[in-house]
């Protein structure tokens, strides 16, 4: 299995957990020091990131299947309130940085 294959598996697990509103499952896919850039400002560490994912699940966020780019994995996450793209960057086999953009 290549690095991109294992990252795609982790991204898929994260998105499936997000769709199932399983925050423990989401957090199992990220590093302890994960950072997240969002339209609402940066989030640092698992506690702040978990809070943001909690808000996404409360809004009924529905993620699409992930797609690999050269150095990241992207997925759409649409809810009743907003449409966004989540870009995941990895350290090893865990997500270490997430960028959320609207649109």
């Amino acid at each position: 299995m290549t690095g991109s294959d294992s990252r795609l598996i982790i991204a898929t697990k994260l998105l499936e957990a997000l769709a199932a509103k399983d925050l423990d499952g989401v957090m199992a896919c990220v590093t302890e020091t994960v950072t997240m850039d969002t339209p609402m400002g940066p989030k640092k560490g698992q506690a702040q990131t978990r809070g943001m994912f909690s808000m996404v699940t409360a809004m009924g966020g529905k993620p699409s299947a992930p797609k690999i780019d050269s150095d990241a994995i992207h997925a759409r996450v649409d809810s009743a309130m907003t449409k966004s793209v989540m870009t995941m960057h990895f350290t090893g086999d865990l997500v270490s940085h997430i960028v959320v953009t609207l649109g």
Side-chain angles (χ1 to χ4, degrees), residues 71-95:
D71 65 340
I73 295 180
H74 309 274
R76 290 199 59 78
V77 181
D78 297 338
S79 73
M81 297 186 70
T82 187
K83 296 178 186 293
S84 61
V85 175
M86 185 167 56
T87 302
M88 296 169 266
H89 300 272
F90 290 75
T91 297
D93 286 336
L94 294 175
V95 177

Side-chain angles (χ1 to χ4, degrees), residues 11-27 29 36 49-50 52-58 60-64 75-78 84 86 88:
T12 300
K13 286 181 182 181
L14 185 150
L15 295 167
E16 288 172 348
L18 185 62
K21 299 182 179 184
D22 173 10
L23 293 176
D24 290 335
V26 170
M27 300 316 294
C29 298
M36 186 178 215
T49 301
R50 184 183 186 97
M52 183 54 101
F53 278 125
S54 178
M55 198 164 51
V56 170
T57 61
K62 304 284 186 217
S64 68
R76 290 199 59 78
V77 181
D78 297 338
S84 61
M86 185 167 56
M88 296 169 266

Side-chain angles (χ1 to χ4, degrees), residues 27 30-36 43-47 49 91 94-98:
M27 300 316 294
V30 303
T31 64
E32 289 290 324
T33 57
V34 63
T35 57
M36 186 178 215
K43 309 299 176 199
K44 294 181 180 181
Q46 283 207 354
T49 301
T91 297
L94 294 175
V95 177
S96 59
H97 184 74
I98 302 164

